[in-house]
Amino acid sequence: MKTTLKIASLLLLSLFVSCSSDDDSGEQTPSELDQIQGEWIRVGGNNPANNGMVINVSDDTGTVIAPAPAVPDGFTEGEVKWKEIVLQDGTHYRYEELGSNGSYYPASLRFGVDDTLRISVDAAPGDGYIQKWVR
């Protein structure tokens, strides 16, 4: 009886140990924001003066790395243009867009299969509320 109990306990213990998860498996879970990470250049929109601006998206923030050449007193290098980017579904993101007046506005971003970002700022229609960005 003691031998059977020892064997059963040993089997149960080995089963428990073999089923435990190893948190240091080395596998990386892809981020929900992976597809939009990197540099983007503005190529279109209803305020063409800002075309040519380059943004770098890192994690949930898009920072200006090259201001629009046509607007010398516009956005500056290092400014956070897009912040708090959150995935809504597979290709739709919500975030806060920095306007030319220095205020942030709710906005949506759609990632296209052609590596295109189409942006719509939720503020009343005005300069820059529609934008197109490419890699």
Side-chain angles (χ1 to χ4, degrees), residues 45-107:
N46 69 335
N47 185 4
N50 278 320
N51 292 347
M53 180 187 320
V54 181
I55 301 273
N56 183 57
V57 176
S58 179
D59 298 321
D60 69 343
T61 302
T63 305
V64 176
I65 59 172
V71 188
D73 59 345
F75 299 102
T76 60
E77 186 176 337
E79 245 181 326
V80 174
K81 179 81 168 113
W82 307 337
K83 70 177 185 175
E84 300 172 11
I85 304 169
V86 177
L87 180 67
Q88 297 295 297
D89 64 36
T91 59
H92 179 234
Y93 299 82
R94 297 291 301 162
Y95 73 102
E96 297 288 315
E97 166 89 17
L98 180 62
S100 58
N101 64 355
S103 297
Y104 282 95
Y105 297 94

Side-chain angles (χ1 to χ4, degrees), residues 35-36 40 91 109-118 133:
Q35 64 187 355
I36 64 167
W40 296 92
T91 59
L109 178 153
R110 287 231 178 247
F111 175 77
V113 293
D114 57 350
D115 261 1
T116 299
L117 299 179
R118 297 192 188 277
W133 297 72

